[in-house]
Amino acid sequence: MAEAMAEKGYVGTSVEDVLKRARVSRQSFYRLFSSKLDCFMAAFDQAGDLVRDRLAEAAQGGADPADRFERAITVYLDVLASEPGYARLFLVEVFAAGPEAVERRSAVQRDLAAGLADLMGATGERARFACQVVVAAVGTMVTPAVASGDAAALRAVGPPIVEHVRELARSGVLDG
């Protein structure tokens, strides 16, 4: 699904396109999935799991939260660059897939924001909201590079984001 959508987009991708790429019969497909959307949601969940797992690994160790954030954002951008099909599915095509997919993406973003807050030691309402803003901003900043398949532009957003989060931490926005 992710590969087919990277080529044709969600709207332009048919079940037949997925069948050809996966080299499975229509009967096999419908044993696993009830529809194209169901297949999309399974691929979306795989993409979300991949991102969450890699971020959890990257955030381990080290005392300085900003250093852990830097590792995490670098890994996140590397995952997006190395998995362009999943990245496009996760950040671009999700909006074409409809309300259920958009809500699932919103849930992942809430999880990522909560993880960032935990990583940064942000416990207060204001600090946790700042983490939600950072996650939303990162998503907005990386989406054009993912949509155009520009891995260099994708990775280039990392250093300014890291510096901004460091400044938020220094200024006390992420305290408490």
Side-chain angles (χ1 to χ4, degrees):
M1 177 57 86
E3 289 175 11
M5 283 193 325
E7 184 179 309
K8 294 185 168 187
Y10 179 80
V11 173
T13 299
S14 66
V15 169
E16 185 66 29
D17 295 324
V18 176
L19 299 177
K20 286 179 184 175
R21 284 192 179 275
R23 297 181 185 161
V24 298
S25 70
R26 189 170 295 278
Q27 183 179 15
S28 294
F29 177 90
Y30 283 110
R31 267 191 233 128
L32 296 170
F33 307 108
S34 62
S35 64
K36 177 174 98 169
L37 177 61
D38 188 35
C39 182
F40 174 90
M41 297 306 283
F44 181 87
D45 289 343
Q46 283 184 322
D49 290 346
L50 174 67
V51 167
R52 282 188 201 102
D53 291 348
R54 298 269 177 88
L55 287 175
E57 291 170 19
Q60 298 299 314
D64 183 44
D67 289 344
R68 290 194 314 263
F69 173 77
E70 183 172 6
R71 282 196 313 272
I73 193 71
T74 300
V75 165
Y76 178 68
L77 297 174
D78 286 346
V79 167
L80 296 180
S82 67
E83 299 285 348
Y86 277 146
R88 184 171 182 87
L89 180 145
F90 191 71
L91 291 163
V92 178
E93 300 304 332
V94 66
F95 296 105
E100 179 183 350
V102 172
E103 177 49 40
R104 184 97 42 109
R105 183 175 185 286
S106 295
V108 170
Q109 270 197 287
R110 286 189 298 273
D111 290 347
L112 292 174
L116 175 58
D118 292 344
L119 177 85
M120 300 304 292
T123 56
E125 188 175 320
R126 178 176 156 237
R128 292 184 82 77
F129 181 75
C131 291
Q132 290 174 339
V133 170
V134 168
V135 169
V138 168
T140 299
M141 294 174 77
V142 300
T143 298
V146 168
S148 66
D150 188 343
L154 182 61
R155 287 188 171 102
V157 302
I161 290 169
V162 168
E163 184 51 39
H164 184 70
V165 169
R166 286 185 186 281
E167 183 58 33
L168 290 173
R170 283 191 296 268
S171 70
V173 171
L174 299 178
D175 291 346

